Every structure is written in C-alpha cells, then in structure tokens.
Amino acid sequence: KHLENELKVHLFDRIGKQTTLTHQGTIFYEYASNIMKELAQAIEAVSGSDELNGRICIGTIESVCSSVFPELLREYHRLYPKVTISIITDSPEALLHMMDKNVIDIVYFLDKPVYNKNWIKVLEEPEDVLFVSSASNQLAGQIGLNLDEVISHPFISTEKDASYRHLLEQYLTSIGKELHPFLETGNTEFILDQLRHNLGVSFLPAFVVRHDIMLGVLSCLDVKDFQLKVWRQLVYHKDKWVTKEMAAFLKLA
C-alpha cells in the first residue's frame, strides 16, 4: 500500500481474499526483479571470498540420478567441499513445476526437446534409448529382431511417468501395439540388477547401460526399423539469481 501511494499507481487487484498483479504491477515487478539480481551480483562481487560454501538444490529423474550423478557429484564435492547439495527426484513435469515455484534451482531431465520462455537451457544433448537384456538372454546377439518379438518377452519397465517409456508407448499405440510389463519400478538400479540376472528385457537410455554393455554383462538388442532418442536437458528459471554454486555446477555438468 505504501509502495502504491509512493508510485501513485495501482499495483494490485484485491478481489476477496485474492491479490493479483495489475498490468502496471507486472511491469514494475520485472524492473524490481532485475534490480534485486544486479544488487545481489554487486554484493557477491565485492564480498572478498571466492570459496563456495552455499547451498544448491537440483531436481532430476531417477535414471540420471543413479547413472550420471554419482560421478558428477563426486567431482563437484571434490572441487567445492563446503557446498551443501540437495537432490530431488521426480518426473520431468513435476520437477519443472517445482523449478517454476523456486523450490528447485536447476533441473536435469530426459525428454523430447522442451522449451519455455521462462527457462534458460544450458544443455541439450541427444541420447539413444535401447532395448537391453542380459548377454546370456536368448534374444542377445540376434540380428534384425522384430519389435513384436521383443515386447512380448518378459518386460521390466520404468514407471509410466518416465519420458522415454511414454515415448515408446506413444509409438506402439501409433502402430496398434501395446506394452505389458510384468514388473514396473522407478528404481533404475533395481531394473539393471534384474536384467543382469536374465529376468527379462527393458528399455533404457544408453548412458544407463553403457558400462554393463562394455563389460559384456548386458547386451543391446538389435531391433530392425526402430530407433528412439531422448534429450538430456539442463535448465534453470530465467528470473533465478545464478549463485556461484549454481554456476559451478552448470559448468561442470
């Protein structure tokens, strides 16, 4: 109210218990937000300490958390041991919503390329998604498998909100087929353990299974006339003040 009196403009509409920004309020907010970010940068620039010791909250999906993050976070901690890191795992949709609400600083997710005028994207890399099984599975090593042959095999799948499962099911629907997993779980490491024990077939990003394939424990199945990619994407909100801790993680990732 004091600010409205000082500016001599109406910044808020107050209807019942709801308060929303007017057009003038939205314009003023954009300027105020930029001023506060510039002020925070100025204070940090002259603070005299280059040692990172703040906090950072990162949202990611379970498959990235279990395969990409261990090495990434070990290196980050080695470089910046005083930074406190929080990890939240969920679906891309839920994580991006949390980022928009300023609950999460950065989101690292897998999906088809997604864009939003409110996000800054610092990484967008394609990643193959593969049908995989134990190297001792009857399908391993066969050339030109039919898709029907693979999805009719005992199938272990990620949960329905995993982006690559959703894309696979969209494709199957388009050709009149369905996926019927005998086991569903959001725990990627559990899926890998079941595959290593030859309990079925799964559909996972290449970076999740690369190490096991190199060791000869798992095998990438050769399915004819089928290829699916997702994109590893790293984003933060355009209005988010990028701390030194965030900048260091974004650069390393």
Side-chain angles (χ1 to χ4, degrees), residues 87-106:
I87 305 293
I88 295 176
T89 58
D90 211 320
S91 67
E93 183 181 7
L95 294 170
L96 293 167
H97 178 71
M98 283 187 268
M99 183 185 74
D100 285 340
K101 297 295 183 182
N102 201 30
V103 175
I104 291 174
D105 298 320
I106 297 167

Side-chain angles (χ1 to χ4, degrees), residues 104-123:
I104 291 174
D105 298 320
I106 297 167
V107 177
Y108 194 144
F109 67 105
L110 283 179
D111 207 338
K112 61 183 181 295
V114 180
Y115 304 101
N116 188 301
K117 63 182 178 62
N118 291 323
W119 305 342
I120 303 295
K121 184 177 285 191
V122 296
L123 173 71

Side-chain angles (χ1 to χ4, degrees), residues 13-139:
D13 281 324
R14 301 168 181 84
I15 301 172
K17 294 183 178 180
Q18 296 228 335
T19 303
T20 57
L21 288 171
T22 63
H23 176 65
Q24 289 87 351
T26 301
I27 293 172
F28 188 80
Y29 169 78
E30 293 294 332
Y31 280 99
S33 179
N34 288 331
I35 289 167
M36 294 307 294
K37 283 194 287 186
E38 291 289 335
L39 178 60
Q41 287 175 325
I43 292 170
E44 187 170 291
V46 297
S47 63
S49 174
D50 290 329
E51 186 176 31
L52 275 59
N53 55 15
R55 303 179 66 89
I56 183 171
C57 183
I58 307 162
T60 191
I61 63 171
E62 205 281 332
S63 59
V64 171
C65 189
S66 64
S67 55
V68 175
F69 270 32
E71 183 179 355
L72 176 59
L73 295 182
R74 279 196 298 271
E75 179 64 8
Y76 187 84
H77 180 66
R78 185 188 70 79
L79 294 170
Y80 314 108
K82 293 189 177 181
V83 176
T84 301
I85 306 167
S86 297
I87 305 293
I88 295 176
T89 58
D90 211 320
S91 67
E93 183 181 7
L95 294 170
L96 293 167
H97 178 71
M98 283 187 268
M99 183 185 74
D100 285 340
K101 297 295 183 182
N102 201 30
V103 175
I104 291 174
D105 298 320
I106 297 167
V107 177
Y108 194 144
F109 67 105
L110 283 179
D111 207 338
K112 61 183 181 295
V114 180
Y115 304 101
N116 188 301
K117 63 182 178 62
N118 291 323
W119 305 342
I120 303 295
K121 184 177 285 191
V122 296
L123 173 71
E124 184 178 276
E125 290 291 334
E127 192 75 43
D128 288 323
V129 192
L130 312 171
F131 288 106
V132 289
S133 71
S134 164
S136 59
N137 189 280
Q138 67 189 63
L139 299 179

Side-chain angles (χ1 to χ4, degrees), residues 179-239:
L179 186 66
H180 298 287
F182 83 91
L183 175 62
E184 294 181 342
T185 176
N187 189 317
T188 307
E189 189 55 43
F190 182 78
I191 293 175
L192 290 174
D193 185 66
Q194 301 306 297
L195 292 175
R196 292 167 189 143
H197 285 86
N198 197 18
L199 292 181
V201 171
S202 192
F203 187 65
L204 295 168
F207 64 79
V208 172
V209 296
R210 190 170 290 128
H211 181 67
D212 280 284
I213 289 175
M214 286 175 59
L215 292 177
V217 177
L218 298 183
S219 177
C220 170
L221 302 182
D222 180 49
V223 182
K224 66 181 179 182
D225 302 326
F226 179 84
Q227 187 178 39
L228 192 148
K229 289 182 184 290
V230 289
W231 276 256
R232 289 186 290 117
Q233 297 165 80
L234 189 62
V235 299
Y236 64 92
H237 199 280
K238 70 177 181 63
D239 293 332

